[in-house]
Amino acid sequence: MTAELIHQTAREQERTIVTVRCTGHVRDAVGTHELEFSFAGDRLRAFLEAFFDEYDVEEMLIAETEAEATAHGWAPAPDELPGTWRKNPEGEQTRAYARVCINGRFNEHYDGLETELEDGDRVALIYPFMFCC
């Protein structure tokens, strides 16, 4: 085994405990607005996989295609956007109007699904993030 593989295997065996906060439809499906959740590993991806195994909310939150991640009806974006814009790669995005936040910040502002989580972090599963008629 390579050193990198040994480190990855050890990391996957460690458990991380986070506080999960749920809003909207996710709260209804999970049955509470807040809970402690323990999972093997220390990445957002590992947390989501374990959480989705226990709670059937993946389809509410995760987009499988670019079309599912895109809100329709907005004004077209200018060719050059001001500031820094980040977007998770296709297959790792949230659905339109759904968000995953870590300690109050969207996961796109960290390392997407590879964001490292620590004991005591807060993960918010938000759907809908916003709603318009």
Side-chain angles (χ1 to χ4, degrees), residues 98-118:
R99 303 301 283 195
V100 175
C101 297
I102 302 161
N103 298 323
R105 294 186 65 197
F106 299 142
N107 72 54
E108 294 92 340
H109 296 292
Y110 294 108
D111 292 323
L113 297 185
E114 292 305 314
T115 301
E116 189 173 332
L117 299 175
E118 297 177 359

Side-chain angles (χ1 to χ4, degrees), residues 61-66 69 87-95:
L61 295 166
I62 304 300
E64 292 184 19
T65 66
E66 188 71 30
K87 186 174 183 179
N88 287 332
E90 187 169 345
E92 296 187 6
Q93 299 174 17
T94 55
R95 290 185 168 275

Side-chain angles (χ1 to χ4, degrees), residues 71-75:
H72 301 286
W74 296 97

Side-chain angles (χ1 to χ4, degrees), residues 36-102:
E36 295 280 311
F37 191 81
S38 173
F39 65 98
D42 65 353
R43 304 285 178 197
L44 180 59
R45 178 183 314 277
F47 160 77
L48 290 172
E49 289 172 0
F51 195 83
F52 295 155
D53 283 346
E54 192 162 330
Y55 299 98
D56 188 23
V57 295
E58 181 174 9
E59 287 190 22
M60 285 184 208
L61 295 166
I62 304 300
E64 292 184 19
T65 66
E66 188 71 30
E68 292 176 347
T70 305
H72 301 286
W74 296 97
D79 290 334
E80 290 190 37
L81 297 171
T84 302
W85 293 78
R86 293 186 178 115
K87 186 174 183 179
N88 287 332
E90 187 169 345
E92 296 187 6
Q93 299 174 17
T94 55
R95 290 185 168 275
Y97 310 115
R99 303 301 283 195
V100 175
C101 297
I102 302 161

